């Protein structure tokens, strides 16, 4: 059994003692140790040393979960390569980097350049640390977002622990990962929930009294010096259960999750740029100047990036995955309400949603009607599988969901 499957095998965890003791055992089992994180400096040194021969003066800047403190033993490493100002940032840089790193097969293996991605990357495996790594040359935004997440998650000692538990829970149940919901987006759900609980502040409040720092047309500055005092005294146990209860009842289909404002917005507010609140003045200005497209709201979930306000982090969360996420929110919420405190963690980590119940299928029918009503289905970017053209293929949409829900009901009734 490889390390990833070993770490995600929840039957091997220790569930003895009370809830807090179980959490401590969980963190000890799945979280990267300080020594393991420090050992990653060899990866950064090897990358920088290899790339310096082609781009003298370049600098490796790690970001992502390794930096925020949310790294678990399945976590990949993300790096941004800061290049000298005279180097043109072409998409072909990742191809050049792949070829350069390929000269060191004893250090870098499984090299693959993803040129067509929104942010081109080089994927690789670092042999000395046995760690997978994604390298990009184009977007420093990830570095700024990591700084923000790290700040927020360390404002309150409960926040980081809650985030790690939810991250692990979502990976165990195949909710987040490759071709699934981005783990980054799930962490935004955690922070947004903690904003509702007044544990963490909204981002717009953190930007009020500091000069803007514009990165790719977006303000990435925030006040990391003024202390924020929470009036919420709930225990970690109640915050964890509250997280599942909150999203079990949350109206994803009509709402935009805005960490920026720290509240849920109606999707209709983003149908037309003129209807958007003036608090999004930079978003409105960027859209009007064609620096960016409007926020994508024609998806089953809409989680807005706190800096790139036109970016929907969950735009690629497809219907079947949405159903799965809703099922697990409902199952975990039920466990919180019905299981004992000392049995709660074990249940949410070992029980699949199929052991519980399914979300009523009308949720997707309601969302289909909502999409039609808002006329978002005719947008050019809605051209996906099941769409013959830029116009919405209602028959394909209806047939796809009819088949899916028939299968779900058959499974529930034990007929399949």
């Amino acid at each position: 059994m490889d390390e990833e499957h070993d770490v995600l095998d929840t039957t091997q965890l220790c569930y003895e003692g009370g809830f807090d003791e179980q959490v401590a055992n969980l963190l000890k089992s799945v979280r990267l140790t300080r020594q393991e994180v420090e050992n990653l400096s060899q990866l950064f040194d090897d990358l920088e040393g290899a790339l310096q021969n082609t781009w003298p003066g370049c600098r490796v800047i790690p970001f992502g979960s390794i930096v925020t403190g949310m790294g678990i033993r399945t976590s990949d490493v993300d790096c941004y390569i800061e290049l000298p100002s005279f180097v043109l940032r072409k998409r072909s840089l990742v191809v050049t980097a792949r070829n350069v790193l390929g000269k060191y097969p004893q250090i870098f293996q499984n090299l693959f350049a993803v040129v067509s991605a929104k942010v081109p990357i080089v994927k690789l495996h670092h042999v000395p640390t046995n760690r997978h790594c994604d390298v990009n040359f184009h977007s420093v935004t990830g570095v700024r977002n990591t700084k923000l997440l790290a700040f927020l998650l360390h404002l309150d000692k409960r926040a980081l622990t809650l985030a790690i538990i939810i991250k692990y829970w979502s990976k165990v149940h195949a909710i987040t990962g490759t071709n699934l919901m981005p783990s980054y987006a799930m962490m935004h759900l955690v922070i947004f929930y903690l904003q509702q609980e007044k544990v963490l502040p909204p981002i717009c409040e953190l930007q009020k009294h500091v000069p803007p720092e514009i990165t790719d047309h977006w303000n990435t500055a925030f006040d990391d010096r003024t202390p924020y005092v929470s009036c919420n005294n709930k225990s970690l146990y109640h915050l964890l259960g509250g997280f599942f209860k909150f999203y079990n009842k949350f109206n994803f289909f009509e709402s935009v999750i805005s960490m920026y404002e720290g509240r849920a917005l109606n999707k209709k507010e983003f149908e037309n740029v003129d209807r958007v609140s003036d608090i999004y003045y930079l978003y409105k200005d960027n859209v009007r100047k064609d620096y960016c497209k409007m926020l994508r709201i024609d998806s089953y979930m809409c989680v807005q990036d706190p800096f790139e306000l036109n970016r929907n982090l969950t735009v690629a969360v497809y219907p079947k995955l949405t159903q799965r996420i809703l099922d697990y929110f409902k199952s975990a919420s039920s466990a919180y309400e019905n299981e004992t405190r000392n049995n709660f963690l074990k249940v949410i980590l070992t029980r699949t949603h199929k052991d519980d119940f399914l979300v009523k299928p009308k949720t997707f029918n309601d969302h289909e009607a909502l999409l039609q009503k808002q006329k978002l289905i005719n947008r050019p970017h809605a051209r996906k599988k099941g769409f013959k053209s830029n116009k919405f293929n209602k028959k394909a949409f209806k047939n796809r969901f009819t088949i899916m829900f028939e299968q779900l009901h058959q499974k529930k009734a034990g007929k399949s």
Side-chain angles (χ1 to χ4, degrees):
M1 182 179 291
D2 61 38
E3 182 183 13
E4 177 169 351
H5 287 95
D6 208 15
V7 171
L8 298 181
D9 183 0
T10 58
T11 63
Q12 302 301 313
L13 296 174
C14 178
Y15 300 103
E16 296 179 358
F19 174 81
D20 293 330
E21 186 178 350
Q22 292 172 25
V23 169
N25 289 332
L26 171 66
L27 298 182
K28 185 177 180 180
S29 298
V30 307
R31 195 180 182 188
L32 287 174
T33 65
R34 179 181 294 272
Q35 187 60 51
E36 287 172 321
V37 174
E38 290 176 352
N39 289 343
L40 291 175
S41 61
Q42 183 180 356
L43 189 162
F44 309 137
D45 291 342
D46 287 344
L47 262 179
E48 197 167 282
L51 297 176
Q52 283 277 357
N53 294 326
T54 302
W55 297 292
C58 71
R59 190 162 65 101
V60 175
I61 304 176
F63 65 96
S65 62
I66 302 298
V67 178
T68 60
M70 290 188 295
I72 62 177
R73 291 177 180 172
T74 61
S75 297
D76 293 341
V77 181
D78 295 295
C79 292
Y80 168 71
I81 309 300
E82 184 180 74
L83 297 174
S85 58
F86 60 83
V87 178
L88 296 178
R89 297 183 182 277
K90 299 179 179 179
R91 286 184 169 269
S92 58
L93 282 176
V94 294
V95 177
T96 304
R98 178 200 61 193
N99 296 337
V100 169
L101 298 175
K103 297 176 181 178
Y104 307 91
Q106 72 281 12
I107 301 176
F108 305 108
Q109 294 181 358
N110 301 330
L111 291 153
F112 186 71
V114 185
V115 183
S116 60
K118 178 182 177 181
V119 178
I121 60 172
V122 178
K123 301 183 75 69
L124 60 88
H125 180 255
H126 185 247
V127 177
T129 59
N130 191 31
R131 192 66 57 181
H132 296 287
C133 181
D134 292 344
V135 181
N136 93 77
F137 297 79
H138 294 264
S139 178
V140 72
T141 308
V143 177
R144 299 295 302 169
N145 282 37
T146 294
K147 184 179 178 182
L148 174 65
L149 291 186
F151 168 73
L152 290 171
L153 292 174
H154 286 84
L155 270 181
D156 189 292
K157 63 181 181 180
R158 297 166 296 177
L160 181 60
T161 304
L162 178 65
I164 294 172
I165 295 173
I166 296 299
K167 178 177 181 177
Y168 182 69
W169 166 84
S170 67
K171 284 191 172 294
V172 163
H173 295 304
I175 292 173
T176 58
T178 305
N179 298 323
L180 299 171
M181 184 180 189
S183 182
Y184 177 66
M186 181 61 74
M187 291 306 98
H188 281 64
L189 292 188
V190 174
I191 291 173
F192 180 75
Y193 162 68
L194 291 177
Q195 288 175 330
Q196 312 317 297
E197 291 289 324
K198 308 303 180 184
V199 175
L200 299 177
I203 309 309
C204 60
E205 291 296 323
L206 295 175
Q207 292 188 332
K208 270 187 178 180
H209 306 295
V210 292
E213 295 180 27
I214 304 301
T215 305
D216 296 332
H217 304 296
W218 299 107
N219 181 17
T220 59
F222 63 92
D223 183 1
D224 58 357
R225 295 185 179 183
T226 304
Y228 178 79
V229 180
S230 171
C231 59
N232 183 311
N233 296 316
K234 290 183 180 179
S235 67
L236 177 65
Y237 167 72
H238 290 299
L239 286 177
L240 179 60
F243 172 85
F244 295 120
K245 285 186 65 176
F246 177 79
Y247 285 113
N248 179 44
K249 297 178 180 179
F250 189 81
N251 186 351
F252 284 100
F253 301 139
E254 296 185 16
S255 304
V256 174
I257 290 177
S258 171
M259 263 178 57
Y260 179 73
E261 272 198 80
R263 69 184 183 95
L265 309 174
N266 193 300
K267 287 183 177 180
K268 292 181 180 180
E269 296 181 41
F270 286 88
E271 287 182 15
N272 187 304
V273 68
D274 294 325
R275 296 174 61 181
V276 178
S277 168
D278 287 340
I279 196 173
Y280 292 92
Y281 66 93
L282 191 55
Y283 167 83
K284 297 172 74 169
D285 191 52
N286 285 343
V287 170
R288 287 167 176 159
K289 292 180 178 178
D290 289 329
Y291 291 151
C292 70
K293 296 180 180 179
M294 292 182 64
L295 175 70
R296 285 277 302 273
I297 55 175
D298 59 339
S299 58
Y300 293 91
M301 291 185 175
C302 186
V303 180
Q304 185 185 46
D305 188 273
F307 288 151
E308 294 182 78
L309 300 175
N310 76 315
R311 182 184 175 198
N312 178 357
L313 303 175
T314 48
V315 71
V317 176
Y318 49 90
K320 190 174 182 180
L321 177 58
T322 302
Q323 178 72 58
R324 183 181 183 85
I325 294 169
L326 296 178
D327 286 341
Y328 273 108
F329 281 146
K330 190 168 188 178
S331 178
S333 177
S334 175
Y336 176 60
E337 294 177 335
N338 298 306
E339 298 290 339
T340 64
R341 180 187 180 104
N342 292 347
N343 202 39
F344 175 51
L345 190 64
K346 181 179 180 180
V347 168
I348 65 171
L349 291 178
T350 59
R351 179 189 292 176
T352 68
H353 70 82
K354 295 178 182 179
D355 299 325
D356 214 333
F357 38 72
L358 295 172
V359 174
K360 294 180 180 180
K362 69 175 185 179
T363 50
F364 283 122
N365 293 334
D366 289 345
H367 192 50
E368 176 186 5
L370 177 67
L371 290 178
Q372 292 174 349
K373 183 177 180 181
Q374 293 179 338
K375 297 182 180 180
L376 300 174
I377 50 181
N378 291 322
R379 285 190 176 185
H381 53 235
R383 190 173 188 178
K384 300 178 181 177
K385 186 177 180 180
F387 294 80
K388 291 183 179 180
S389 67
N390 289 344
K391 293 185 177 180
F392 185 65
N393 188 331
K394 295 181 182 178
K395 184 176 181 180
F397 186 96
K398 183 176 180 180
N399 289 343
R400 182 172 58 184
F401 286 103
T402 298
I403 293 171
M404 183 179 74
F405 288 124
E406 285 178 353
Q407 292 173 343
L408 290 174
H409 284 303
Q410 287 174 359
K411 288 180 181 179
K412 186 177 180 182
K415 295 180 181 180
S416 64

